[in-house]
């Protein structure tokens, strides 16, 4: 698995930054080779100096070893500068080549992946600068190769005493690596098991830093509970990590003891050789330096292997991320369907990883330009119908057609050209007002008249003369607006998109009933030539549409106009009566 991970990281680096990757490889190998060479150059220099008063002295040899040592030391000293420069250049190149691939993948992932716990963990990790992790994985792999080169090169110096020390060292490396891998596996297993806890304490932390959540928490005096829950979860996670780290370090200590025994044997043999005058001063110095170097390099190798196993998770998540199912995207200039005629035929649907059937043979049609209300209790299937209609999911059974064309045969771009939608959980973009509006249709970014018209029709109470004001508190001059204004902006964004069919999935929950009614009347007047689905728990808004589809337990209970359903005295009539009585009671209490 480790080998496969290394190959994957190398392949990615050479694919997206071939020149920089090659330069880093050369730089790391050269620097690693110079470490044992420096020791060897020092050894020969000392031997040359020791022969100064003998017939074997050679001035050219002395100068040559001095020159080689100075050159190698200069190269090593400049390593930090080259390494930092290459790293920045590599990151820049990867951001230019790999980042667009990852971003495009995010655009193409099927919506169902965002509701799966396993894929959510992968998506979360891939949203946190995975490019940096991939670069770290590659450079960490080069660190391992470099350390092995340095260690083996340094170990060869011991062969000048006796070859048995080199053989013993090589045999020692194998159990050391196995111990480190075992330690790394324990840590990786722990991190994998803590993924859910990590997401939870990050979420709890966000509650304590979010303005809207903190207002409610302070009002209910619940901020301490969330704070304590967050601290307890962090403590549990860190305690578990500490215990696992202590357990894993036993394997690291074992490898350290083996190396110390090997060093003790060398020191004993070295002391005896010095006493018997069997080695030169240069070799003595080289071996002492080599022991210090080799212990440091072995420790670095151990840490690099541990890092490699941890960083390897990034490649695993990257591969899993890139293999996630994708939506079928068409050309930006995909055919636009005008006057859509929508038909649901015996549609059944169950969400992935669930046994509960949400839709149970739903059938209805929406004629071109028709305005329809979709009503029903929570869980009746209203939002599910919208998700199916927009192609976020596929029906398990039955068929959905637009102008006779099955949406299964339509790519995403074609569907996007049909629908404009405002969800109940719409997004607040802390960007400029202009950008908030034009995100519905980027081509209208600088058509101020269209943007201001959308603001007027959505009844936005913000100075329309300055479309470039920043909304939210990210910018220093940002304007903080109410949730109701954010809702109106979301509706205006849908108006700017100008699709042939509009969907409002309860986007006016923060507005009072009168404001909601005024909003819908203005909205429907603007889109009088387009079809529309309106979902709202407030049944008064259904009087603005031509048809009402009533859902109950995943089935269509009733279809008709408001007058027809009231006269029928069925489910809709009972819901209408209950809401009317509630409003009458409120008015009496206020009086």
């Amino acid at each position: 698995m480790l080998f496969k991970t290394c190959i994957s990281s190398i392949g990615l680096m050479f694919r997206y930054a071939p020149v920089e990757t090659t330069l880093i490889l050369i730089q790391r190998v050269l620097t690693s080779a110079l470490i044992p060479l420096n020791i060897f150059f020092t050894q020969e220099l000392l031997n040359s100096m020791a022969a100064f008063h003998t017939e074997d002295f050679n001035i050219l040899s002395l100068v040559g070893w001095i020159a080689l040592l100075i050159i190698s030391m200069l190269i090593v000293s400049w390593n930090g500068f080259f390494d930092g420069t290459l790293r920045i250049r590599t990151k820049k190149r990867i951001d230019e080549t790999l980042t667009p691939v990852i971003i495009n993948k995010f655009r193409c992932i099927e919506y169902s992946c965002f509701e799966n716990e396993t894929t959510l963990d992968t998506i979360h990790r891939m949203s946190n600068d995975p490019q940096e992790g991939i670069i770290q994985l590659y450079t960490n792999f080069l660190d391992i190769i470099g350390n092995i080169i340095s260690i083996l090169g340094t170990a060869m110096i011991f062969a000048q005493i006796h070859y048995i020390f080199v053989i013993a060292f090589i045999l020692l490396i194998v159990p050391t690596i196995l111990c480190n891998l075992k330690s790394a596996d324990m840590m990786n297993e722990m991190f994998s098991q803590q993924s859910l806890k990590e997401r939870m304490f990050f979420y709890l932390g966000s509650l304590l830093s979010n303005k809207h959540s903190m207002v409610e928490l302070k009002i209910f005096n619940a901020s301490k509970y969330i704070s304590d829950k967050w601290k307890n979860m962090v403590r549990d996670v860190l305690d578990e990590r500490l215990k696992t780290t202590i357990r894993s370090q036993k394997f690291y200590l074992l490898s350290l003891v083996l190396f110390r025994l090997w060093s003790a044997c060398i020191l004993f043999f070295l002391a005896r050789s010095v006493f018997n005058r069997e080695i030169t001063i240069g070799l003595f110095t080289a071996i002492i330096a080599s022991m210090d170097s080799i212990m440091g390099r072995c420790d670095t190798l151990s840490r690099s292997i541990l890092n490699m196993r941890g960083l390897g998770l990034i490649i695993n998540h990257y591969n899993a991320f890139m293999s996630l199912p994708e939506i079928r995207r068409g050309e930006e200039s995909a055919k636009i369907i005008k006057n859509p005629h929508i038909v649901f035929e015996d549609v059944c649907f169950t969400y992935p990883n669930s046994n509960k059937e949400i839709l149970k043979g739903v059938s209805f049609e929406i004629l071109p330009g028709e305005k329809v209300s979709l009503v029903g209790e929570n869980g009746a299937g209203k939002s599910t119908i919208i998700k199916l209609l927009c192609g976020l999911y596929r029906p398990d059974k039955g068929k959905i057609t637009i102008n006779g064309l099955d949406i299964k045969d339509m790519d995403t771009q074609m569907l996007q050209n049909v629908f404009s939608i405002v969800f109940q959980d719409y997004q607040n973009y802390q960007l400029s007002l202009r950008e908030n509006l034009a995100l519905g249709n980027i081509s209208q970014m600088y058509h101020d008249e269209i943007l201001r018209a959308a603001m007027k029709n959505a009844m936005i109470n913000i100075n329309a003369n300055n479309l470039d004001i920043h909304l939210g508190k990210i910018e220093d001059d940002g304007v903080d607006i109410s949730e109701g204004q954010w809702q109106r902006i979301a509706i205006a964004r849908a108006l700017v998109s100008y699709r042939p069919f509009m969907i409002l999935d309860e986007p006016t929950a923060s507005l009072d009933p009168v404001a909601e009614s005024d909003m819908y009347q203005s909205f429907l007047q603007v889109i009088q030539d387009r079809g529309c689905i309106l979902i709202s728990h407030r049944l008064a808004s259904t009087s603005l549409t031509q048809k009402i589809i009533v859902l109950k337990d995943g089935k269509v209970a009733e279809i008709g106009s408001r007058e027809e359903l009231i006269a029928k005295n069925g489910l809709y009539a009972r819901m209408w009566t209950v809401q009317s009585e509630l409003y009458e009671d409120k008015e009496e209490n206020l009086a």
Side-chain angles (χ1 to χ4, degrees), residues 503-544:
I503 300 172
L504 299 181
D505 188 359
E506 298 192 78
T508 56
S510 294
L511 303 181
D512 61 73
V514 175
E516 180 188 54
S517 178
D518 292 342
M519 169 74 71
Y520 282 146
Q521 287 188 43
S522 175
F523 183 85
L524 294 174
Q525 185 176 2
V526 172
I527 64 163
Q528 56 184 334
D529 58 334
R530 288 175 273 175
C532 174
I533 291 179
L534 190 156
I535 300 176
S536 176
H537 279 98
R538 296 168 180 165
L539 298 186
S541 62
T542 61
S543 62
L544 303 173

Side-chain angles (χ1 to χ4, degrees), residues 150-188:
S150 297
I151 290 169
L152 294 179
T154 306
M156 294 308 296
I157 295 175
F158 294 102
Q160 298 177 75
I161 304 177
H162 202 288
Y163 68 88
I164 195 66
F165 290 111
V166 178
I167 295 174
F169 174 76
I170 294 174
L171 292 176
L172 189 60
I173 283 288
V174 176
T176 299
I177 292 177
L178 292 177
C179 286
N180 287 328
L181 292 180
K182 177 64 176 177
S183 176
D185 284 338
M186 294 176 65
M187 296 298 292
N188 287 340

Side-chain angles (χ1 to χ4, degrees), residues 95-165:
D95 284 340
E96 292 172 349
T97 54
L98 179 57
T99 301
V101 173
I102 294 174
I103 291 174
N104 186 63
K105 181 66 181 183
F106 270 110
R107 293 178 61 223
C108 298
I109 297 174
E110 281 191 359
Y111 180 79
S112 58
C113 295
F114 291 89
E115 297 190 350
N116 181 286
E117 183 177 318
T118 303
T119 55
L120 261 182
D121 183 42
T122 294
I123 291 171
H124 171 72
R125 291 179 183 271
M126 291 306 295
S127 65
N128 293 325
D129 196 16
Q131 306 89 313
E132 180 65 24
I134 291 171
I135 295 173
Q136 287 182 9
L137 182 61
Y138 174 68
T139 55
N140 199 85
F141 168 72
L142 292 184
D143 286 340
I144 293 175
I145 298 300
N147 282 313
I148 291 174
I149 292 173
S150 297
I151 290 169
L152 294 179
T154 306
M156 294 308 296
I157 295 175
F158 294 102
Q160 298 177 75
I161 304 177
H162 202 288
Y163 68 88
I164 195 66
F165 290 111

